[in-house]
Structure formats: C-alpha cells, structure tokens
Amino acid sequence: MRLTRDVVSGENRRKLRDISGEEVASCYQCGKCSAGCAMTGMMDLLPHQVIRLVQLGHIEEAAASRTIWLCASCLACSARCPRGVSLPNVMESLRVTLLRPGERHLDPAGLPAEVLENAPEQALVAGLRKYT
Ligand code: SF4
Ligand code: SF4
C-alpha cells in the first residue's frame, strides 16, 4: 500500500485507537517491547513492527500477521515500554477488528471432550475470549 496522508491518519487507524485506547504515535520504536517478549521466536512480525505498521496506517498488514494471535497478553512488553504503550491492547484491538465481522478462529462446539475435561478453566475462558 502506498504511504499517503490518508493512509497514515485514515479511518481504520482512528477506529483502532478508539477500540484499543492506545495512542501508537507515542511509540518511538526503541524495540524494548520486542526484546522482552518471550513469544518472538514464533512470531512473523516483532511486536514493535506491529506497532510501526499501525503507526503507518497499514492496519490490514498488521492484522494479517500471526503475531497478533500468538501474543499471550502477558504484559511484559507494556511493563518495559518507556512510552506507556500497551501492546496487548493494540494486539487485542487488531483481533477484534477481524472478529467483529463474525469470523471465528475457534469453534467451541468442535473442542474435543479430552480438552474440555483436562484444560484449565482459565485457559478455556481466555482462549474463547481471544478466538471467538
Ligand atoms: S517499548 Fe514502547 S516505545 Fe519502545 S518500541 Fe515498544 S511500544 Fe514502542
Ligand atoms: S503481551 Fe504479547 S507482545 Fe507483549 S510481551 Fe507478552 S506475548 Fe509479547
């Protein structure tokens, strides 16, 4: 996508700010969030790269990354951020923009009985909140 003023300050970015409550323009790309994230080995974009895409208005690219689904919402990054940006909130809002149109990433009815019996209740609730 070409970088234009309309893209950078477009409707999608405003919507994301409203949902997340985060002002991503505060991020100055120091990378401390990515340096402290335990999930980066599996991520296709590093957390600070997700923020950079959102800053530039490339919401679809950020939302298409595997990273937003791998984020464990552990808060390690936001605790380290010198600018007070909560990445988990941004990741959650990106997931919400995908899930709102009704796309499900997990079918609760399709969960095997073994998972329902053995998985910790907290993990089930968190998974259903995140993926449905
Ligand atoms: S730690 Fe904060 S300021 Fe630094 S790159 Fe991450 S979000 Fe941006
Ligand atoms: S909240 Fe997500 S992005 Fe931040 S450190 Fe934890 S797993 Fe990484």
Side-chain angles (χ1 to χ4, degrees):
M1 187 190 293
R2 219 173 123 242
L3 200 57
T4 64
R5 205 160 83 183
D6 283 347
V7 169
V8 173
S9 51
E11 176 61 21
N12 283 348
R13 187 173 156 197
R14 273 200 298 278
K15 206 187 304 173
L16 202 75
R17 187 184 55 206
D18 290 347
I19 297 171
S20 69
E22 299 297 322
E23 185 43 84
V24 293
S26 310
C27 165
Y28 53 24
Q29 290 288 290
C30 66
K32 282 186 81 171
C33 48
S34 299
C37 175
M39 300 298 286
T40 52
M42 285 173 283
M43 290 174 168
D44 51 357
L45 287 174
L46 295 173
H48 75 284
Q49 293 172 327
V50 172
I51 294 288
R52 187 62 178 148
L53 282 173
V54 174
Q55 282 180 329
L56 296 175
H58 295 309
I59 309 299
E60 278 101 18
E61 283 93 332
S65 74
R66 269 194 310 144
T67 296
I68 67 166
W69 300 104
L70 290 170
C71 169
S73 302
C74 68
L75 308 181
C77 51
S78 45
R80 296 167 63 95
C81 178
R83 302 292 292 161
V85 177
S86 173
L87 265 103
N89 282 352
V90 176
M91 303 277 191
E92 170 70 6
S93 62
L94 286 164
R95 291 194 295 267
V96 164
T97 59
L98 291 177
L99 294 170
R100 275 196 176 163
E103 190 179 337
R104 280 188 161 197
H105 292 262
L106 179 72
D107 177 13
L111 285 174
E114 193 184 325
V115 171
L116 292 172
E117 277 164 26
N118 298 323
E121 201 173 307
Q122 198 177 1
L124 283 174
V125 172
L128 291 174
R129 282 190 60 197
K130 189 170 173 182
Y131 296 114
T132 61

